[in-house]
Amino acid sequence: MSRPDQEDALVIRVLVIDDDDIAREAMRTVLVRAGFDVSELATPIGATSVIKRDGITVVALDINMPTINGDKLAKLLRDNSQLSNLGIVLVSGCDIEQLSAIGKRVGADGIVSKSKLHVALAPAVERAVALRAARGGAASPSSSTFPTAGPPSSTRRPR
């Protein structure tokens, strides 16, 4: 039997930030079904505090929000040396090529079109965790790619 702190280290904690209640709930549902521990914010205000307090592993972040755009928040998070191991997945309904360019510019670990949430979000979160682990937490916006292969399913929380 493993100790609680060992099990806790295997849990991927995802913070979903989206001002749209329906989209936020859809993301939460997909991620919970995939075995992730999910927190939510309707606004990016206070995100850094929640990330640090709750030991968030990955942020799934909408691009278009009224208080601060997700790409600006992603850049702020990426530039924060205390959050170098944080995975960032950008989510948007915008054109996928535009989303990819934004993701590369801000150093995101993945991108997901809102129209593909049900099939693409959980694998994107897993890839973000794998990329952060492989980089040792080092952020490198210019080297961001959005690979199609995911890590082993052992990174998920046991169901």
Side-chain angles (χ1 to χ4, degrees), residues 47-121:
T48 303
S49 297
V50 172
I51 291 165
K52 290 177 182 179
R53 181 191 70 214
D54 296 349
I56 298 297
T57 314
V58 177
V59 175
L61 181 59
D62 182 33
I63 293 289
N64 297 311
M65 292 186 283
T67 53
I68 179 173
N69 281 340
D71 57 331
K72 289 182 181 160
L73 178 60
K75 183 72 172 133
L76 291 170
L77 294 172
R78 187 55 74 221
D79 290 344
N80 185 328
S81 63
Q82 295 177 351
L83 301 176
S84 62
N85 287 325
L86 181 68
I88 299 174
V89 176
L90 299 180
V91 180
S92 180
C94 73
D95 174 80
I96 198 70
E97 290 172 5
Q98 179 184 7
L99 184 57
S100 181
I102 292 168
K104 287 177 184 173
R105 187 181 78 240
V106 301
D109 298 300
I111 58 168
V112 176
S113 170
K114 283 191 176 181
S115 66
K116 305 283 186 197
L117 281 179
H118 61 290
V119 296
L121 185 57

Side-chain angles (χ1 to χ4, degrees), residues 1-13 37 157-158:
M1 178 177 228
S2 59
R3 297 181 329 176
D5 59 338
Q6 288 174 329
E7 287 179 18
D8 200 44
L10 298 176
V11 175
I12 295 174
R13 291 184 171 86
D37 182 26
R157 180 177 66 177

Side-chain angles (χ1 to χ4, degrees), residues 143-159:
S143 67
S144 287
T145 58
F146 307 111
T148 56
S153 61
S154 63
T155 59
R156 291 186 183 178
R157 180 177 66 177
R159 295 180 197 206

